[in-house]
Amino acid sequence: MNIDLFLLIVVVITALAFDFTNGFHDTGNAMATSIASGALAPKAAVALSAVLNLVGAFMSTAVAATIAKGLIDGHIVTLDLVFAGLVGGIVWNLLTWFLGIPSSSSHALIGGIVGATIAAVGGHGVIWKGVVSKAIIPAVVSAILAIAVGAMATWLVYRITRGVSAKHTEAGFRYGQWGSASLVSLAHGTNDAQKTMGVIFLALMSYGAVSHTAATPPLWVIVCCALAMASGTYLGGWRIIRTLGKGLVEIRSPQGMAAESSSAAVILLSAHFGYALSTTQVCTGSVLGSGLGKPGGEVRWGVAGRMAVAWLVTLPLAGSVGAITYWIVHFIGGYLGAIIGFGLLVAVAAAIYIRSRKVKVDHKNVNAEWEGSLTAGLGGTDEKPEPPAHPGPTVRIPAPSRTASNGPTVSAANRS
């Protein structure tokens, strides 16, 4: 096996690993509000989302073409560059998942690839016009649009149902959420699975397996990416589901249906035009809008602020990881460089996963009351109380004094 074929195999495996992390990282986009409102049981919700993500991945390839041809010069792409970009995306996905921050998998991937490209050939290898017009502007516009549409939809829902008892309103909209949450999952599959298709498409062009003039990726790429994302979705990104469903806004069923419908509309529209927007930012914006649109609604602005900071630093930090990975792999070179780069990725992923198990968030406690942070109040799930490190001497507590009937108080120590 020559080095180029070996690198291609490593890149395809890493790309599918990224797609897997994208699946569990973004499950909350579609299902957090339905789980939080009680419209769907947690395990049933992620199973439904996985199936619809799988179906959605076959509905369009416009976004795959954007990733493959609209961000960097395809003629300077090398396999180690693509691998380094994927590492940047995966590391950022895992880190934000651990922290429970709904950040953009799309921007993590784009940032990783752009950072690796700059490390390889400099800034001239990046199609900056494409990055701005196809990624940054759509992300900003779609998030603002989602907040506005989500707020308006929620206000209209409560306006229309004014006078209807809360019991009947909640019950009716829970059924409605089955449809709206399903639509978001379908829309997510049409947008996000294609990003990994685009990366593998890039790698195949670099290797020479497909022509630079090819319009769509091969069928086996579409199938593998769809299955990888669906598998990740089924595992459920419970930490991010908890933040979106309980940490940002206290969701009721009318808000949930309004937010989900708004998200689906924006995502499907962008997929039609080939914009590689962040479904996370769209869905988070819709949830935020649902809090603003509900009369008397409450938004936890501290949580929203942490999300906004993560969004701002995603591109540069994922790009930095991509650049560092490229330098390591390229400097060592050959089989050893690829093996060490992949080994470092596995080591970082394992460390983050092990750390996350100290206080586990899963389908059993994802809907526990929010107590100020992601895992506050959940420590008892996995942790047993430890005995004191330095137990003191045993202290005998004297018997309580008692009062004789119609007589003086008699001490336990002075009884005869």
Side-chain angles (χ1 to χ4, degrees):
M1 181 186 298
N2 62 47
I3 184 62
D4 287 339
L5 180 58
F6 179 75
L7 279 172
L8 179 63
I9 294 171
V10 170
V11 166
V12 171
I13 292 172
T14 308
L16 294 177
F18 172 82
D19 214 18
F20 181 82
T21 66
N22 192 353
F24 73 71
H25 193 279
D26 289 2
T27 308
N29 296 345
M31 292 299 171
T33 53
S34 295
I35 292 172
S37 68
L40 288 167
K43 294 294 285 183
V46 297
L48 176 62
S49 183
V51 171
L52 292 170
N53 265 322
L54 180 65
V55 173
F58 291 92
M59 292 178 62
S60 171
T61 56
V63 175
T66 294
I67 293 291
K69 299 183 178 182
L71 301 176
I72 61 175
D73 184 354
H75 295 90
I76 55 93
V77 173
T78 61
L79 291 171
D80 48 356
L81 184 155
V82 176
F83 169 72
L86 286 165
V87 171
I90 291 173
V91 170
W92 185 252
N93 270 356
L94 291 175
L95 182 60
T96 50
W97 163 78
F98 170 69
L99 297 173
I101 299 175
S103 73
S104 170
S105 296
S106 309
H107 282 186
L109 177 59
I110 292 170
I113 290 177
V114 169
T117 301
I118 294 172
V121 299
H124 68 273
V126 180
I127 304 173
W128 294 107
K129 181 180 178 181
V131 172
V132 173
S133 65
K134 294 285 189 177
I136 296 176
I137 291 177
V140 174
V141 172
S142 61
I144 295 172
L145 183 62
I147 292 172
V149 174
M152 181 59 69
T154 303
W155 181 84
L156 284 172
V157 162
Y158 279 100
R159 180 77 175 178
I160 293 169
T161 59
R162 186 176 52 179
V164 181
S165 68
K167 178 181 178 181
H168 289 91
T169 301
E170 289 286 329
F173 279 102
R174 281 180 182 174
Y175 290 116
Q177 280 193 271
W178 295 1
S180 58
S182 297
L183 190 59
V184 175
S185 291
L186 193 67
H188 181 268
T190 66
N191 194 284
D192 276 43
Q194 295 180 55
K195 293 161 189 171
T196 307
M197 296 178 201
V199 171
I200 296 178
F201 198 13
L202 265 176
L204 292 173
M205 284 191 290
S206 174
Y207 182 72
V210 298
S211 170
H212 284 270
T213 60
T216 59
L219 179 61
W220 70 266
V221 174
I222 298 173
V223 172
C224 289
C225 289
L227 290 173
M229 174 161 284
S231 301
T233 302
Y234 181 70
L235 283 184
W238 302 111
R239 302 174 83 88
I240 293 176
I241 290 174
R242 176 160 170 75
T243 298
L244 269 179
K246 304 297 291 186
L248 184 60
V249 176
E250 285 292 336
I251 292 286
R252 311 300 299 178
S253 289
Q255 295 169 270
M257 183 174 172
E260 289 159 359
S261 301
S262 303
S263 298
V266 175
I267 294 168
L268 287 171
L269 187 65
S270 70
H272 175 73
F273 289 106
Y275 292 128
L277 59 69
S278 164
T279 55
T280 299
Q281 291 176 353
V282 171
C283 294
T284 304
S286 296
V287 171
L288 182 59
S290 75
L292 297 173
K294 179 188 176 183
E298 179 184 351
V299 175
R300 296 188 177 97
W301 291 107
V303 176
R306 288 194 291 275
M307 291 180 190
V309 171
W311 294 354
L312 289 173
V313 301
T314 294
L315 283 171
L317 291 187
S320 298
V321 175
I324 292 169
T325 303
Y326 177 82
W327 285 325
I328 292 173
V329 172
H330 187 70
F331 177 77
I332 298 173
Y335 293 98
L336 184 60
I339 292 170
I340 289 177
F342 190 78
L344 288 173
L345 172 61
V346 172
V348 170
I352 293 174
Y353 176 77
I354 292 169
R355 180 68 181 83
S356 75
R357 307 311 285 174
K358 290 190 174 181
V359 182
K360 185 169 63 174
V361 180
D362 59 17
H363 65 283
K364 297 176 182 177
N365 59 11
V366 69
N367 266 349
E369 289 301 314
W370 188 267
E371 297 184 14
S373 67
L374 176 69
T375 56
L378 304 183
T381 303
D382 299 305
E383 298 173 0
K384 295 180 180 179
E386 297 181 359
H390 303 287
T394 302
V395 178
R396 294 185 179 276
I397 302 175
S401 62
R402 61 184 180 180
T403 303
S405 177
N406 298 322
T409 300
V410 181
S411 168
N414 294 325
R415 286 179 301 180
S416 57

